[in-house]
Amino acid sequence: MSETPQLPSTGREWHLVSRPVGWPQPSDFALVEAEVRQPGPGEVLVRNAYVSVDPYMRGRMSAAKSYVAPFELGETMQGGAVGEVLVSNAEGIEPGDFVLHFLGWREYAVVDAKQAVKVDPEAAPLSTYLGVLGMTGLTAYAGLLRTASFKEGDSVFVSGAAGAVGSQVGQIARLKGASRVIGSAGSDEKVKLLLEEYGFDAAFNYKNGPVAQQLREAAPDGVDVYFDNVGGDHLEAAIGQLNRDGRIAICGMISVYNNTEAAPGPRNLARLIQTRGRIQGLLVGDHYDLQPEFVREVGGWIRSGELKYTETVVEGIENNLEAFFGVLRGDNIGKMIVKL
């Protein structure tokens, strides 16, 4: 139990003030000072320690109907966060406990205790509950093992492979007995990380030449599983190299998130007839039943050093927006996290 901290009267938070068209601009957002209210029955007041910024948040800035509600204009934005409980009016949670919740993009959050999950900072660093042991980690685990129906001996191609999800997909595939793991990334530095740190068998910088050609060279025997974080030319290239009964899991398409017009689809979809291939979309919210198994297995790999992870940490809530822009640009290696 920590000492009772000084309770805040105000805190900073980010608001969406206009809906971006194309690439988001700083003028679409505002950092405001807001009153921090006291928690009511069943609520806790949390001082956020780390908040997450993720590519999917770009979709929530649009008013278009999607799988998750859009951010409201003039209201505080949301995202994953982990922090210390300052005040609790809920059974089972005490001041000094640390919780994972979904009211990020702010310094202080009043959270319904039913929407908060206690985490142990002694078992793993707090930031990992937003990444390798959090939503991005479960996305990788469920997407590879369930959506893509990975099996031992499969050849696996991952785009955005140096990112939070992609780096974990490749390592899980390797630990589960993949015959070959191939990754694409956006810099030579990231390619080196995939090969030397994460144990990928092959990797290429997609900026160095046509993706289809580089993938053919990296996977001459084709791929059985493609985990898609990018879309566009990567998806078309993967379809071109897909083996018989190959599976494609669509996790994200960051290459088209800021397009103002619909991106053209892959030109070679007819090849799925020949390969009997399957493409399936992936939303992590459909797979929370795997959470206990995921934490047990991946937590073990992290403790043993078999699974490695990297974080890009930006300091200060005032830099939350720049961290988000960095994710869209691909600046991050591993999970992008803001430390408050």
Side-chain angles (χ1 to χ4, degrees):
M1 185 84 68
S2 62
E3 295 181 9
T4 303
Q6 181 71 36
L7 297 182
S9 58
T10 63
R12 291 175 294 172
E13 57 188 36
W14 281 98
H15 290 190
L16 183 69
V17 296
S18 60
R19 300 204 181 278
V21 177
W23 275 88
Q25 302 298 320
S27 58
D28 295 322
F29 308 85
L31 181 61
V32 303
E33 191 87 17
E35 182 180 353
V36 177
R37 70 174 177 86
Q38 291 300 302
E43 294 181 327
V44 295
L45 172 62
V46 180
R47 178 173 55 205
N48 287 334
Y50 295 92
V51 301
S52 177
V53 291
D54 301 279
Y56 80 88
M57 293 174 176
R58 176 62 185 87
R60 296 196 67 187
M61 295 171 189
S62 166
K65 187 176 181 180
S66 183
Y67 61 89
V68 63
F71 292 131
E72 296 291 337
L73 292 180
E75 298 292 334
T76 319
M77 294 167 63
Q78 300 169 349
V82 64
E84 182 183 1
V85 174
L86 301 182
V87 179
S88 175
N89 290 326
E91 287 188 23
I93 299 180
E94 302 292 334
D97 287 344
F98 287 86
V99 295
L100 175 67
H101 61 90
F102 208 67
L103 296 181
W105 288 76
R106 68 198 82 191
E107 290 179 301
Y108 299 94
V110 176
V111 183
D112 182 341
K114 294 176 183 176
Q115 305 299 319
V117 178
K118 286 172 62 171
V119 296
D120 183 0
E122 300 297 323
L126 282 175
S127 59
T128 63
Y129 293 103
L130 296 175
V132 68
L133 283 177
M135 186 175 70
T136 51
L138 181 59
T139 300
Y141 188 86
L144 178 68
L145 301 182
R146 180 177 279 174
T147 307
S149 305
F150 172 86
K151 59 184 185 296
E152 187 176 355
D154 279 345
S155 172
V156 177
F157 172 44
V158 189
S159 58
V165 174
S167 60
Q168 207 156 338
V169 170
Q171 291 185 84
I172 293 171
R174 176 176 54 78
L175 290 163
K176 288 283 191 178
S179 61
R180 188 167 177 82
V181 179
I182 305 108
S184 72
S187 73
D188 294 340
E189 176 193 11
K190 291 179 179 179
V191 167
K192 183 178 180 182
L193 181 75
L194 296 178
L195 296 172
E196 297 182 1
E197 184 75 9
Y198 295 148
F200 281 60
D201 298 293
F204 59 86
N205 181 347
Y206 66 83
K207 297 176 182 176
N208 287 348
V211 174
Q213 178 184 334
Q214 294 197 78
L215 180 59
R216 281 194 299 270
E217 293 171 357
D221 296 323
V223 297
D224 301 300
V225 168
Y226 170 48
F227 195 103
D228 189 19
N229 292 304
V230 173
D233 54 358
H234 281 74
L235 178 56
E236 189 169 290
I239 293 171
Q241 283 299 101
L242 204 63
N243 289 332
R244 168 73 186 266
D245 298 316
R247 290 87 65 203
I248 295 175
I250 305 291
C251 177
M253 292 191 170
I254 196 169
S255 70
V256 302
Y257 283 170
N258 295 302
N259 288 6
T260 55
E261 297 180 2
R267 296 167 295 181
N268 57 349
L269 279 175
R271 194 167 185 278
L272 294 177
I273 303 169
Q274 173 189 344
T275 62
R276 290 74 150 179
R278 167 166 62 85
I279 300 180
Q280 184 173 340
L282 160 66
L283 282 180
V284 68
D286 297 335
H287 304 286
Y288 284 131
D289 61 297
L290 292 177
Q291 181 83 19
E293 173 189 329
F294 155 72
V295 170
R296 182 173 61 253
E297 188 161 31
V298 174
W301 286 332
I302 291 171
R303 285 190 294 274
S304 70
E306 293 174 278
L307 191 148
K308 298 177 172 58
Y309 66 94
T310 306
E311 296 173 337
T312 299
V313 180
V314 172
E315 299 266 352
I317 193 171
E318 66 276 8
N319 295 313
N320 231 70
L321 188 57
E322 184 54 34
F324 173 67
F325 289 164
V327 167
L328 295 182
R329 291 191 300 260
D331 294 350
N332 56 302
I333 296 177
K335 183 75 181 77
M336 178 72 89
I337 293 172
V338 179
K339 181 180 180 181
L340 304 191

